[in-house]
Amino acid sequence: MPAPSGADAATTVRMEAVGLAALAHALEDPTGLGGAFAAAMAILLALPGRVVVTGIGKSGHIARKVQATLASTGTPSLFVHPAEASHGDLGMIQPGDAILAFSNSGETTELADIAAHARASALPLLAVTSRAGSTLAAAATVALILPAMPEACPMGLAPTTSTLCQLAFGDALAVALLRQRGFTAADFSTFHPGGRLGARLRTVRELMRTGSAMPLATPQTRMRDVIMEMTHKALGCVGIVEQNGTLAGLITDGDLRRALDHDLTATLAKDVMNTMPLTIEPDILASEALRVMNARQRPITSLFVLGPDRHPLGVIHVHDLIKAGVE
C-alpha cells in the first residue's frame, strides 16, 4: 500500500469543494432549492415556537451542530434524537414549533415517528435530504433537496461530501435568519459570555475603571499634584476636566517627562496637557479599543471613555483588556 500523501488529502478536499459549489449554485435557483429555501425562511421567521432539529447517525451529528448555531444566533431551537422521540421525547415538541429533519437518503426509518407527529400536530416539517422522491421529502411541508454529489470516500460510502453540504446548508440557514432578524454583535455577546469569543465581544463599558478610580485634575492643578494623582491611580495618565465636568485635556507620563525642564512647583496642568487627546465611547467593543491603542506608531496604554456630553465616564487601560482575554 502506498504511503499517504498530501495530494490524496487534497483530492478529498477538492471533491468536497465541488459539492459545496453545487450547493451554492442550487441555492441560487429560484425554481429549485433556492425557492424551497425562501419558503422555509418564511416559515421560520413567522414561527411562534422553536426549531426542533433532528437526525440520526452522521446526519444527527450535523443536526446537533446546526441546532447549536441556530440557538447561538438568535433562533430558539433544540435537538431531539429520533430514537428517544419514540420513547417519550415527542413531548418536547410543542404547538408552534417547526421540525428541521436531516437525512441524506430521506429513508431514515427512525424519523418516521417524528414525521407522523408533525403531520398529526399540524407542525411544519422541513426536510433536508438529497433525494426528491424519498419518503421524508414526500412527508415534508418544504423539501430542501440538496445536490446529490459523490462522496469523497474512495468507496463512495462514508458520509463526507453529503454531510459537509448539510453543515453548510445549516450555516446558510442560520446566517440568513440572523440577517433577517437584525441580530447584532451585542446580541451575539449575550449568548457567548465565556471564553475567548466572549472576551472579544465585551464592551469598553464592562471593563473600564470608573468613579474614584479615574485619575482626574483641573486645569489649575499644579503639576506636582498631577504627578501625585498619576502615581496614586497608576494608569500613566490624568484627565483634566473643566468646572462643568467636560474633558479639557490629558496629561500622560510622556507629557510629564517632556515637562521636566519646567518648574513643576509652579507649572499648572493647563500648561502641559494635550488638548486633543484620543478618546473612545463606552459601547465600543473592547477588541476595537485594543486596536485603537495599538494603531499608533507608539502604542498608547490608556483611553478616557467619554459620554455624548464629553464628561469622562471611565478609563480603559491595556492591562484591563489583556487581563480580560481581549485580543
Side-chain angles (χ1 to χ4, degrees):
M1 180 180 296
S5 70
D8 293 332
T11 297
T12 298
V13 173
R14 289 192 183 98
M15 289 185 68
E16 293 186 333
V18 170
L20 289 177
L23 175 61
H25 181 72
L27 283 165
E28 292 173 335
D29 180 6
T31 64
L33 180 59
F37 185 88
M41 283 287 295
I43 289 172
L44 296 179
L45 287 170
L47 196 67
R50 306 153 302 170
V51 181
V52 178
V53 191
T54 190
I56 202 164
K58 302 300 185 294
S59 293
H61 294 307
I62 297 300
R64 286 183 184 275
K65 191 276 177 186
V66 171
Q67 182 273 317
T69 301
L70 287 168
S72 71
T73 52
T75 298
S77 59
L78 72 155
F79 175 82
V80 172
H81 194 286
E84 297 297 337
S86 301
H87 295 274
D89 280 4
L90 283 175
M92 298 169 66
I93 306 173
Q94 300 294 316
D97 291 345
I99 297 169
L100 178 64
F102 285 83
S103 170
N104 185 46
S105 69
E107 299 297 341
T108 306
T109 56
E110 290 86 354
L111 290 173
D113 287 342
I114 288 183
H117 181 73
R119 182 170 58 252
S121 303
L123 302 179
L125 173 61
L126 312 180
V128 182
T129 178
S130 295
R131 291 186 56 194
S134 64
T135 301
L136 183 63
T141 309
V142 178
L144 298 148
I145 310 301
L146 307 189
M149 303 298 294
E151 302 288 8
C153 163
M155 297 174 290
L157 299 175
T160 47
T161 306
S162 61
T163 49
L164 181 62
C165 287
Q166 287 179 342
L167 181 62
F169 180 86
D171 286 343
L173 188 66
V175 172
L177 290 167
L178 174 156
R179 287 174 173 159
Q180 288 295 312
R181 291 193 169 110
F183 196 78
T184 66
D187 298 320
F188 206 77
S189 177
T190 300
F191 297 135
H192 297 79
R196 293 175 62 187
L197 182 57
R200 288 179 56 199
L201 294 171
R202 297 182 73 177
T203 63
V204 168
R205 189 187 296 276
E206 295 175 72
L207 300 175
M208 67 185 185
R209 305 189 192 191
T210 61
S212 61
M214 287 190 289
L216 299 174
T218 71
Q220 303 302 320
T221 303
R222 294 186 184 277
M223 281 303 298
R224 64 182 181 184
D225 295 323
V226 171
I227 294 171
M228 293 297 293
E229 177 74 354
M230 188 181 296
T231 303
H232 179 62
K233 301 296 173 63
L235 291 176
C237 66
V238 175
I240 309 304
V241 292
E242 300 283 8
Q243 286 188 345
N244 63 4
T246 60
L247 187 73
L250 185 71
I251 297 176
T252 67
D253 49 8
D255 297 322
L256 182 58
R257 287 192 295 272
R258 288 185 287 273
L260 287 177
D261 58 347
H262 293 63
D263 178 4
L264 296 184
T265 62
T267 303
L268 303 180
K270 67 177 183 178
D271 301 321
V272 177
M273 70 182 184
N274 171 12
T275 59
M276 297 184 65
L278 187 63
T279 61
I280 201 164
E281 298 174 4
D283 296 317
I284 296 294
L285 290 178
S287 57
E288 175 64 11
L290 186 60
R291 188 197 66 78
V292 170
M293 289 178 175
N294 290 328
R296 293 293 185 92
Q297 186 174 5
R298 292 184 177 180
I300 57 180
T301 59
S302 295
L303 287 171
F304 262 81
V305 185
L306 302 185
D309 54 3
R310 289 196 59 78
H311 281 64
L313 301 178
V315 184
I316 188 74
H317 192 274
V318 66
H319 290 167
D320 301 326
L321 299 172
I322 294 172
K323 184 177 180 180
V326 178
E327 297 179 351

